[in-house]
Amino acid sequence: MEGHGKITAPFIGDRLRGGLTAASSGAVQAFSRRSLRQQLVILVLAATLPLLAASALMFKRLVDNERSADLRSLVVNARTLAALVENEIDTHVAICMTLTRSAALQAGDLAAFSREAAQAIEFVPGSWISLSTPDGQILASTLAPARTDWPRHSAPGVIKRGFETRRPQVGDMIFGNVSKRWTAFVEVPVFRNDTPLYSISISLSPDRFHAMLRKQFTRGELVAIVDRNKNFVARIPDHEARVGTQSSEGWREAMARTAEGSTRNQTVEGDWSVTGYAPTAHGWTAGIALLESDLAVPLRSILWTGLLAAAVLTLLSLGMAGLIARHASKGITDLAANARRLGRAEPIVPHPAPFVEAKTITDALVTARDELERRAGLLSAANLELESKVALRTSELTAEIRRREETETTLRQAQKMDAIGQLTGGIAHDFNNMLTIIMGNLDTVKRRLSSLDSGATLEKPIEAALAGSRSAAKLTHRLLAFSRQQPLEPATLNLNTLVAGLSDMLTRTVGEHTKIETVLGAGLWPVFADANQLENSLLNLVINARDAMPNGGKLTIETGNAYLDEAYAARFGDLKAGQYAVLIVSDTGTGIAANQIDKVFEPFFTTKAIGTGTGLGLAMVHGFVRQSGGHARIYSEMGQGTAVKLYLPRCLKTGEMPAAPRGNAAAVEVPSRAVDGETVLLVEDDGGVLEYSREALEDLGYRVLAADNGEAALELLSRTGRIDLLFTDVVLGGSLSGRQLADEIGKLRPTLPVLFTTGYTRNAIVHGGMLDAGVNLLGKPYTQRELAVKIRTVMTNARSQPTG
């Protein structure tokens, strides 16, 4: 407050004199000689003219902004349209990709493929599907299914590009040889063993794109889709007249400069327009345009409205200036006198303020100053709180990123193992057919040589060959188990009962230097699993544990109940949270290195010495557990030991007692023979397997009717009276699979028992990894003994079933 008191009158006078000196030009002197009324009028005019000029500039800026906004909006809408076009094309690509996996197509059954294609195009009305050779010769088309004299494909270049890139290709507008209309095509190449086989094409109907444009754009825009050659695919307006013709020259030049943007050009009708365009992922371009005549209408309205408002406001300002000048003349004169007195350091005569608003403004500014100081303090506190929250959230995000990385790593591992599983499943199919021929014929030779004098010298190498075949068969079974394609025959089991039943065999397996301890949990939940596969899995784990303890040690087998929560299950992709029974095998062996622990479930990976392990044991265990809906985990420390945990879902079925493990049919010593002239209808498409099976059955006394496909089997059935059993492969050549053949025969002879055989099957008799209810299956490879026992079991069970 003392500082304010030191502002003296001489000091203020010096400041005023300095201001007057700076304003001593002739123009200022002339202005100062005007009256207040005149000065206010001049002030209004001086203020109005710049405002008018600024308004003109603002209007120009508004026009420019409106045009820029329109162009941006057009580009955004063009991107949206491009996305819709991509979605439509991707739908057609997906249909073709689905048809490439058609079994009928791979088998060369064009009639069946045509029926599948006719069903597929129901999802895209107006389109059609054609099948061509790699050189462009059309073989079949949904346009005219009965036609055979097809011309060559209209776009052989697109077919060639598809086989060169091995990817789906989208063509441009052409006039079709078959359809006789403008259209474009999606071409998808089909290979068999890396050899070009067919090209599947699906038409991209311009009418579908036109319907999409009419549905999405209804406000008078000019909308168009063009192909790589800048020809119209669809257009609003004049769609029918413009399809297949060139787009406007200005638009073509703009697209040649940049793939996406906006341009001012003339339409094909000659009207000036602004156009926004964007490319699709398949090389086409989507564009949306507005006529400049339509854009100018709202701007002209804004211009005239602004001019009228400016004129009215100017007149009002001049009138108000006169009133204010007359009202404030006396007060301003008094203020001027006080200002002169202040400049001369004379006492100021108090006068009422000429404007009450001046004091109000001063008070408001003081209040505003205080409020700003208060808010500055609040802002500082808020900044500190915000920094604390940001640090906390950053920590949470870091943890979330780490968890997602772990989940992604687990998912990639699962995807890799699923891909390997697909490969091993395919290998097992053909390998099992070969093994059936080898084992069956060696078994036949052994049986026949046993009655000859020379049999004593041949029996040992033949037995060795059989042993090798059994090892190969065991390998394929492990491959199928890893790939989760092994048909399972599950039953309700109690893990305690299973472990107790195997205790003697496990003790003999590990030897006297290894101590086995079992810890069986009380109140153990039952599980629904294949007993034989579970026994094999436990045996594999015990053998691995034994091998990890070369100098002996302690092996512990535990059972118990566990609950896997949502957080744990989310780390492993398709694992479901819930209740599980767990089987744990742990050892005190050498352990597994940390950099190898993630690989132990991979096929053919082993930590054992070369020649001492196949690398399929844990892979088989992992595949079986996952196929059963369970989960496998391994924990290990170097020098401390390893623990493997198998989680199997709790079986919630009521009214069932835990089943005991099944016996092995191969253990039966004497094959069961035919009685009363029993007849077997044998169906097998592999010639070697067919010959072996027929000979084995005839040696057992059965009358055999053999066929190599379903159609031939139905023909034999129609000409034969007595048939006691259908024995068929699941995968057959021709139009009927083994399951379809059984269904057809079931319509004719409902009580005829059926025995299936297969080396590998996906979904004919197996769903969800489990055999369908009531299905009898003998897996390949098999010996005469296994075949005899299985046939006798199926026939006996069928005769014991009540009829009717």
Side-chain angles (χ1 to χ4, degrees):
M1 296 301 294
E2 292 177 351
H4 291 293
K6 294 180 180 180
I7 300 177
T8 61
F11 173 78
I12 297 176
D14 292 341
R15 295 294 300 272
L16 290 174
R17 283 192 294 273
L20 291 173
T21 301
S24 60
S25 65
V28 173
Q29 291 177 357
F31 185 76
S32 64
R33 291 194 292 267
R34 302 289 181 181
S35 65
L36 177 61
R37 187 189 300 263
Q38 291 174 336
Q39 291 187 32
L40 287 176
V41 171
I42 293 173
L43 181 62
V44 169
L45 292 176
T48 303
L49 290 176
L51 288 175
L52 292 176
S55 298
L57 292 175
M58 290 177 64
F59 178 77
K60 183 178 182 304
R61 181 65 61 85
L62 175 63
V63 171
D64 294 339
N65 288 342
E66 284 291 324
R67 182 176 291 272
S68 297
D70 289 336
L71 290 177
R72 288 194 299 270
S73 177
L74 289 173
V75 172
V76 170
N77 291 338
R79 291 173 184 162
T80 301
L81 177 57
L84 293 174
V85 173
E86 290 176 4
N87 184 65
E88 180 69 17
I89 294 176
D90 289 341
T91 299
H92 288 69
V93 171
I95 291 174
C96 288
M97 292 300 295
T98 301
L99 290 175
T100 61
R101 298 187 290 271
S102 167
L105 182 62
Q106 293 294 330
D109 189 350
L110 300 185
F113 173 78
S114 295
R115 291 192 295 271
E116 294 177 358
Q119 295 176 353
I121 61 173
E122 293 178 359
F123 296 97
V124 285
S127 298
W128 64 89
I129 296 176
S130 300
L131 183 68
S132 307
T133 61
D135 62 356
Q137 177 61 49
I138 298 177
L139 301 176
S141 176
T142 59
L143 274 175
R147 181 174 177 179
T148 57
D149 55 334
W150 294 102
R152 298 184 67 81
H153 198 286
S154 304
V158 182
I159 297 177
K160 180 180 179 182
R161 191 165 69 241
F163 283 108
E164 289 175 349
T165 62
R166 305 177 73 90
R167 295 175 60 87
Q169 298 294 319
V170 178
D172 299 315
M173 295 296 291
I174 58 173
F175 195 80
N177 292 338
V178 179
S179 63
K180 304 303 181 183
R181 68 183 86 166
W182 286 101
T183 187
F185 292 94
V186 170
E187 296 288 340
V188 177
V190 181
F191 294 84
R192 178 188 291 163
N193 298 328
D194 290 334
T195 300
L197 187 60
Y198 301 108
S199 179
I200 301 176
S201 63
I202 185 169
S203 67
L204 297 171
S205 172
D207 292 339
R208 284 184 60 83
F209 290 104
H210 179 238
M212 179 178 67
L213 298 183
R214 293 184 61 185
K215 180 179 180 181
Q216 299 293 332
F217 301 94
T218 59
R219 297 180 298 172
E221 303 99 328
L222 281 71
V223 190
I225 304 169
V226 297
D227 61 14
R228 296 181 185 83
N229 299 323
K230 309 304 182 289
N231 293 329
F232 285 112
V233 178
R235 186 179 187 266
I236 293 179
D238 299 330
H239 167 72
E240 295 181 357
R242 298 298 179 185
V243 169
T245 64
Q246 282 271 286
S247 57
S248 64
E249 181 179 358
W251 190 19
R252 296 200 305 271
E253 292 175 354
M255 288 187 284
R257 291 192 299 270
T258 59
E260 179 182 287
S262 59
T263 183
R264 179 177 180 268
N265 62 282
Q266 283 185 300
T267 66
V268 291
E269 291 87 0
D271 300 319
W272 283 100
S273 66
V274 289
T275 303
Y277 59 92
T280 70
H282 303 289
W284 291 7
T285 303
I288 302 177
L290 291 173
L291 296 178
E292 288 196 340
S293 59
D294 294 336
L295 291 174
V297 172
L299 296 177
R300 283 197 296 268
S301 175
I302 295 173
L303 174 62
W304 287 111
T305 301
L307 290 176
L308 179 60
V312 172
L313 291 175
T314 301
L315 293 175
L316 289 175
S317 298
L318 292 174
M320 291 178 64
L323 292 174
I324 294 172
R326 186 173 61 184
H327 175 72
S329 291
K330 186 178 183 303
I332 292 177
T333 301
D334 293 336
L335 287 175
N338 280 329
R340 288 192 293 270
R341 292 189 184 96
L342 182 64
R344 296 193 296 267
E346 297 176 354
I348 296 175
V349 179
H351 292 287
F355 301 104
V356 177
E357 292 79 4
K359 185 177 185 304
T360 303
I361 292 173
T362 302
D363 295 338
L365 289 174
V366 172
T367 303
R369 182 197 61 192
D370 296 337
E371 180 65 14
L372 287 174
E373 291 176 352
R374 185 184 69 82
R375 292 192 179 186
L378 293 176
L379 181 60
S380 177
N383 284 337
L384 292 176
E385 182 180 359
L386 179 60
E387 290 174 357
S388 176
K389 290 182 178 180
V390 168
L392 177 60
R393 184 56 180 161
T394 301
S395 176
E396 293 174 351
L397 289 175
T398 301
E400 176 66 14
I401 291 172
R402 187 179 301 109
R403 187 189 67 79
R404 290 188 179 183
E405 289 175 349
E406 292 176 356
T407 301
E408 290 171 357
T409 300
T410 302
L411 179 59
R412 286 193 296 269
Q413 183 72 10
Q415 290 173 340
K416 178 174 67 175
M417 297 191 73
D418 284 341
I420 299 174
Q422 293 284 345
L423 173 63
T424 57
I427 294 173
H429 173 262
D430 293 334
F431 194 31
N432 273 323
N433 274 338
M434 292 186 291
L435 287 174
T436 302
I437 299 172
I438 296 170
M439 290 179 64
N441 284 286
L442 287 175
D443 180 64
T444 300
V445 171
K446 178 182 177 182
R447 287 184 287 101
R448 293 185 176 179
L449 289 177
S450 62
S451 61
L452 301 177
D453 294 337
S454 60
T457 60
L458 293 176
E459 187 171 353
K460 184 175 181 180
I462 291 174
E463 184 60 39
L466 281 172
S469 297
R470 293 188 190 99
S471 298
K474 185 177 181 181
L475 175 64
T476 62
H477 290 159
R478 288 185 171 184
L479 286 171
L480 286 172
F482 162 72
S483 66
R484 304 180 218 167
Q485 305 297 335
Q486 180 72 29
L488 301 180
E489 298 184 56
T492 306
L493 302 174
N494 184 289
L495 295 182
N496 288 346
T497 304
L498 183 139
V499 172
L502 293 176
S503 60
D504 291 340
M505 182 183 67
L506 297 179
T507 301
R508 293 192 300 271
T509 299
V510 300
E512 60 184 8
H513 297 293
T514 300
K515 178 183 177 182
I516 293 183
E517 179 179 346
T518 58
V519 181
L520 304 181
L524 190 67
W525 293 325
V527 298
F528 192 65
D530 188 305
N532 284 340
Q533 292 295 329
L534 189 54
E535 289 176 357
N536 290 337
S537 298
L538 177 57
L539 184 59
N540 266 301
L541 296 179
V542 169
I543 292 174
N544 281 347
R546 179 200 64 189
D547 295 343
M549 299 182 292
N551 299 322
K554 180 180 178 181
L555 189 152
T556 304
I557 302 175
E558 300 177 61
T559 61
N561 296 327
Y563 178 80
L564 303 182
D565 59 21
E566 296 286 351
Y568 181 88
R571 296 167 51 194
F572 300 96
D574 58 351
L575 179 63
K576 295 182 179 179
Q579 296 174 331
Y580 290 80
V582 59
L583 176 63
I584 307 171
V585 178
S586 56
D587 61 63
T588 58
T590 56
I592 303 173
N595 61 348
Q596 295 178 333
I597 197 71
D598 291 333
K599 302 178 181 180
V600 294
F601 288 130
E602 295 181 7
F604 304 112
F605 177 84
T606 179
T607 58
K608 300 178 182 179
I610 297 176
T612 61
T614 64
L616 281 175
L618 285 178
M620 181 273 291
V621 172
H622 180 270
F624 159 68
V625 172
R626 291 294 300 276
Q627 188 177 356
S628 301
H631 175 56
R633 290 288 284 167
I634 185 168
Y635 306 88
S636 185
E637 292 185 18
M638 293 296 295
Q640 300 298 317
T642 302
V644 181
K645 296 185 178 182
L646 306 184
Y647 296 87
L648 294 171
R650 177 184 181 183
C651 179
L652 298 177
K653 296 181 180 179
T654 60
E656 297 183 7
M657 294 298 293
R662 300 160 308 196
N664 189 347
V668 179
E669 293 298 332
V670 180
S672 301
R673 300 187 60 80
V675 294
D676 300 330
E678 289 174 324
T679 302
V680 175
L681 176 55
L682 172 65
V683 188
E684 172 62 63
D685 60 348
D686 187 284
V689 178
L690 178 66
E691 185 62 30
Y692 161 69
S693 300
R694 173 165 47 191
E695 187 171 334
L697 289 170
E698 288 176 346
D699 285 351
L700 291 169
Y702 292 99
R703 175 171 170 258
V704 180
L705 301 175
D708 60 0
N709 59 64
E711 291 80 0
L714 290 174
E715 176 66 22
L716 284 174
L717 184 72
S718 65
R719 294 187 284 103
T720 305
R722 177 178 178 177
I723 294 180
D724 298 279
L725 176 78
L726 170 63
F727 180 40
T728 177
D729 193 358
V730 175
V731 180
L732 294 175
S735 61
L736 294 176
S737 67
R739 184 56 188 261
Q740 292 171 330
L741 172 62
D743 292 341
E744 292 296 323
I745 292 178
K747 297 175 183 178
L748 302 174
R749 302 191 183 187
T751 60
L752 181 66
V754 179
L755 175 60
F756 292 101
T757 183
T758 186
Y760 167 73
T761 181
R762 280 188 177 274
N763 54 12
I765 62 174
V766 177
H767 292 86
M770 311 297 180
L771 281 176
D772 293 345
V775 169
N776 300 301
L777 175 66
L778 175 63
K780 295 179 181 179
Y782 52 81
T783 63
Q784 186 197 47
R785 177 181 292 106
E786 295 167 345
L787 175 62
V789 173
K790 192 68 177 181
I791 286 181
R792 180 52 52 200
T793 301
V794 172
M795 284 187 175
T796 302
N797 291 339
R799 290 167 182 167
S800 65
Q801 294 294 326
T803 60

